[in-house]
Structure formats: structure tokens, C-alpha cells
Amino acid sequence: MSHSDPDGTEICEEKVTAERDGAFVVFHIGMRINSFWKVHRWLPIVLVAPRMLRELLSDSESGLLGSRTVLGPGVRNIGFVQYWDSFESLRAYARDSEQSHYQAWQKYYRDGTKDDAAVGIWHETYLVSDGAYETVYNNMPPHGLAACEDTDVVPATDHRQTAAGRIQPN
């Protein structure tokens, strides 16, 4: 059963899980503003992130399966949780000199931002290659892995009722 909330997003009114065949990559990336008054250091990074995301989403061959913006804790932290079809696709985008990320990355090093503690940059990459992962969504629209292409959303019943049951390799 489902219904739509006021903004039109369809809410699935049951406990469901995401199932996906094959390997994928979970990529967390973000920044932390350490010195609010050094706007010239952190604002360019804040402004380029949406441009990178639009660039990736407009290219169906990029390898990006889905992306979610995350904020917090506090107003200092901005990040993304992304799902990629492979590490190779993620790496290819990051190193493509024609893309926004590469240009922003080079500017970050060239203009001295990396040497100034006004802004911190971080990322984590998780390769999900053995099929062992776990997801659950209750009273949610498609979110995270469940909102990615080629992912099935199925009822969290039988062995899928618990995290231990869902974490088994597919």
C-alpha cells in the first residue's frame, strides 16, 4: 500500500528492502566548514557540488546510480551518499579533465585551499562485491539504494524481517 505526501512523493506504507544483483559501490563524500569567515575557501566547493551532480545525472553512461545530499551534524557539514555501478566508473569521472570534478580538484590544490584548514574535505568508498549488504525502509519513499536504477524493492518479510537475515549474500 502507498500514498503520496503533499509534494507528490509516493510513500510506501510497508517495511521493504532493496535487492540488487551484482557488485556496486557506495561512495560518501563531503566537506566541513571549519572557518565560516573564510567564505572564499568553502563557497566555491559548495557551489561546484550541484554542478557536478547535474553533470553526472545528465550522462546515463556515467555509472552514477543515485545520489542523496546529507547535512549535519550542525551547519558545518555537507555531503553526499552516492551509489555507483563500479569503482572504475567513479574513478574515471574523478579523473576526467573535461568534467567539473577534475577542474575543481585542480583548483583546490592550485589556489592553496588544501593547505588552509578553513575547509575539510573527505570521502569514503565501499566496494560491495560479495553481495553482502543490508537495507530497510519503513514508511519511506524510495531512498538510498532502493531509489537506484536496476534495484528491486521487495517486502521485508520472511528472512528479510531482520538485519541479520537481510545481510546474507544474494
Side-chain angles (χ1 to χ4, degrees):
M1 177 180 255
S2 65
H3 77 275
S4 294
D5 67 9
D7 73 359
T9 303
E10 188 154 327
I11 306 295
C12 181
E13 294 179 4
E14 66 178 313
K15 185 176 172 183
V16 296
T17 187
E19 290 189 354
R20 181 175 184 81
D21 291 328
F24 60 94
V25 173
V26 180
F27 183 59
H28 293 197
I29 185 166
M31 62 174 279
R32 182 179 193 279
I33 301 170
N34 296 322
S35 299
F36 283 105
W37 61 274
K38 290 189 176 181
V39 176
H40 67 288
R41 293 295 191 203
W42 56 263
L43 186 60
I45 297 168
V46 169
L47 295 176
V48 77
R51 188 168 52 233
M52 285 187 250
L53 192 53
R54 281 191 305 274
E55 182 175 74
L56 284 162
L57 292 171
S58 71
D59 178 5
S60 63
E61 302 294 313
S62 69
L64 180 69
L65 301 172
S67 181
R68 301 290 173 265
T69 304
V70 292
L71 302 173
V75 296
R76 295 179 177 274
N77 297 282
I78 303 165
F80 299 91
V81 176
Q82 297 183 336
Y83 301 88
W84 289 77
D85 64 1
S86 69
F87 180 73
E88 292 74 23
S89 294
L90 171 59
R91 188 173 187 273
Y93 174 73
R95 296 180 170 273
D96 185 339
S97 62
E98 300 298 313
Q99 303 289 350
S100 298
H101 175 270
Y102 185 86
Q103 296 163 17
W105 182 19
Q106 297 306 304
K107 183 178 183 313
Y108 175 79
Y109 278 88
R110 192 175 50 248
D111 73 5
T113 300
K114 81 165 190 68
D115 298 319
D116 185 338
V119 62
I121 301 292
W122 59 271
H123 66 76
E124 302 171 343
T125 307
Y126 302 95
L127 307 177
V128 181
S129 58
D130 67 359
Y133 61 91
E134 181 277 328
T135 67
V136 69
Y137 315 93
N138 196 37
N139 297 322
M140 290 285 297
H143 185 81
L145 184 63
C148 292
E149 291 180 33
D150 300 324
T151 300
D152 295 322
V153 177
V154 299
T157 57
D158 302 321
H159 73 280
R160 298 181 192 101
Q161 288 184 15
T162 66
R166 292 186 298 271
I167 197 87
Q168 301 303 315
N170 292 331

